[in-house]
């Protein structure tokens, strides 16, 4: 049925005058899940795509120049800014719960797990997306200062947005990740970027995170509480929420005003280090 529906969609579009006029260049295709439009996507290379990341796309079909990255919907409960636990109330330093053994880029998860799983202030365990697993993750994230976002089967996951919703400073270990709204949001103000090659060095990650001072963490936490609304899907949409931010990103792409995001992507690690040391 999935194959049949995708074939029908392509045939329908190719018959339309609206599609033929520019070969689909003025169309927006929503294909957010990494496996969305798996068969049909080869026909949509001229269109603007709304994606989670570029992990399973050849550059001829999807790339940062024409397409828009949108956030996953977080699955943990969203914290109100007034109820967000403080530095002292977050007893754990580092939190990760999820699938540890993944294919493709997931080898980094396994290596980081082996390096830090026995640290006394670290929670790094297997977890599922069941309702019980989500409740456990929600409690764990709001009890932790830092939440790991490590590449798995694809560069991105909803774990980053769970961390943002929990006001748990994300530690992003995913060299190829593409981030929503990066041309207008400075992620180094509320997240820590770590290169995979550094993360798998013995002692590196824990030394880095333990070295982040209380005041610096509070600055990032305060920023998280302010920007969390940009990753919140709502109906009806409200100014500054995820839906509104996506349409603004589409507008900027149409206007070819995306250079700032490309520069920030290239400079993530330098900006993150500079922010931590400021």
């Amino acid at each position: 049925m999935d194959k049949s529906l995708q074939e029908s969609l392509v045939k329908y579009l190719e018959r339309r005058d609206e599609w033929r006029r520019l070969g689909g260049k003025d169309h927006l295709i929503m294909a957010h899940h990494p496996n969305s439009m798996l068969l049909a996507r080869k026909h949509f290379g001229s269109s603007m795509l709304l994606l989670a990341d570029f992990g399973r796309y050849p550059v001829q079909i999807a790339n940062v120049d024409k397409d828009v990255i949108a956030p996953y919907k977080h699955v943990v409960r969203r914290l109100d800014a007034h109820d967000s636990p403080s530095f002292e109330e977050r007893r754990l330093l580092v939190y990760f719960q999820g699938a540890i053994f993944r294919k493709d880029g997931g080898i980094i998860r396994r290596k980081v797990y082996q390096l830090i799983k026995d640290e006394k202030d670290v929670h790094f365990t297997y977890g599922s997306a069941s309702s019980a697993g989500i409740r456990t993750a929600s409690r764990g994230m709001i009890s932790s200062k830092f939440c790991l976002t490590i590449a798995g089967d694809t560069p991105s996951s909803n774990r980053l947005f769970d961390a943002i919703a929990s006001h748990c400073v994300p530690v992003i270990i995913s060299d190829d990740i593409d981030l929503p709204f990066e041309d207008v949001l400075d992620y180094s103000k509320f997240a820590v970027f770590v290169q995979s090659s550094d993360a798998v060095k013995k002692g590196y990650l824990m030394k880095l995170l333990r070295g982040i001072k209380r005041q610096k963490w509070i600055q990032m936490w305060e920023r998280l509480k302010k920007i969390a609304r940009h990753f919140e899907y709502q109906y009806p949409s409200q100014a500054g929420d995820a839906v509104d931010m996506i349409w603004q990103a589409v507008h900027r792409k149409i206007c070819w005003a995306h250079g700032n995001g490309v520069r920030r992507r290239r400079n993530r690690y330098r900006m993150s280090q500079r922010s931590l040391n400021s």
Side-chain angles (χ1 to χ4, degrees):
M1 179 60 72
D2 180 42
K3 181 176 184 290
S4 176
L5 286 171
Q6 291 186 57
E7 290 173 346
S8 296
L9 173 62
V10 171
K11 290 177 182 177
Y12 171 81
L13 286 172
E14 290 179 343
R15 288 197 302 265
R16 302 291 301 183
D17 291 339
E18 295 88 348
W19 182 270
R20 291 176 175 177
R21 183 171 57 239
L22 293 173
K25 286 185 178 181
D26 55 353
H27 282 57
L28 174 66
I29 306 292
M30 297 177 66
H32 190 255
H33 190 279
N35 288 331
S36 293
M37 303 291 181
L38 204 56
L39 302 172
R41 62 179 58 171
K42 63 185 178 183
H43 299 278
F44 298 150
S46 61
S47 302
M48 183 184 294
L49 302 175
L50 187 64
L51 305 172
D53 61 46
F54 299 119
R56 293 179 177 172
Y57 284 83
V59 69
Q60 298 87 349
I61 295 176
N63 57 74
V64 70
D65 288 331
K66 72 176 183 68
D67 301 314
V68 171
I69 299 299
Y72 286 85
K73 185 182 185 300
H74 61 81
V75 297
V76 303
R77 83 178 169 88
R78 179 176 64 88
L79 266 183
D80 186 274
H82 300 293
D83 298 327
S84 186
S86 66
F87 182 88
E88 287 74 18
E89 292 172 314
R90 293 174 182 256
R91 302 294 186 182
L92 277 173
L93 180 68
V94 180
Y95 187 88
F96 179 93
Q97 183 164 301
I100 296 170
F101 300 98
R102 309 294 288 183
K103 53 183 180 290
D104 300 333
I107 189 173
I108 300 298
R109 281 193 194 179
R110 296 199 297 275
K111 290 183 176 181
V112 174
Y113 170 71
Q114 292 296 333
L115 286 171
I116 70 172
K117 63 183 176 67
D118 295 324
E119 298 285 343
K120 60 180 176 59
D121 48 359
V122 170
H123 175 98
F124 198 133
T125 63
Y126 174 82
S128 69
S130 66
S131 56
I134 292 170
R135 288 194 298 271
T136 301
S138 183
R139 290 192 298 269
M141 285 184 163
I142 65 174
S143 302
S144 305
K145 296 177 178 68
F146 298 99
C147 289
L148 300 182
T149 296
I150 312 174
D153 292 347
T154 60
S156 65
S157 78
N158 70 301
R159 195 167 284 102
L160 169 61
F161 309 104
D162 287 345
I164 291 172
S166 305
H167 310 152
C168 178
V169 174
V171 180
I172 301 173
I173 308 172
S174 182
D175 297 344
D176 296 320
I177 195 171
D178 289 278
L179 297 166
F181 326 132
E182 195 171 11
D183 56 335
V184 293
L185 292 180
D186 184 353
Y187 277 73
S188 70
K189 300 297 185 185
F190 59 87
V192 178
F193 288 92
V194 180
Q195 290 180 311
S196 297
S197 57
D198 289 331
V200 297
K201 294 176 182 176
K202 187 175 182 179
Y204 181 92
L205 186 59
M206 296 308 299
K207 181 179 179 181
L208 174 69
L209 298 181
R210 286 183 176 138
I212 296 174
K213 304 298 185 185
R214 176 181 182 275
Q215 189 55 41
K216 172 54 64 176
W217 184 90
I218 290 174
Q219 290 175 6
M220 302 178 88
W221 174 63
E222 293 287 0
R223 184 62 180 153
L224 273 173
K225 291 190 288 184
K226 290 179 181 177
I227 59 88
R229 66 190 182 95
H230 298 320
F231 302 91
E232 196 71 28
Y233 287 97
Q234 299 178 103
Y235 181 80
S237 175
Q238 299 179 26
D241 70 1
V243 178
D244 184 41
M245 292 288 285
I246 288 168
W247 283 116
Q248 290 184 44
V250 169
H251 175 74
R252 291 192 297 274
K253 288 290 183 180
I254 292 171
C255 296
W256 298 101
H258 56 274
N260 194 37
V262 173
R263 286 192 295 273
R264 279 194 171 148
R265 190 186 194 285
R266 290 172 181 162
N267 296 326
R268 283 174 187 165
Y269 301 107
R270 181 177 58 81
M271 291 169 65
S272 184
Q273 290 296 321
R274 179 189 295 174
S275 178
L276 292 177
N277 294 323
S278 63

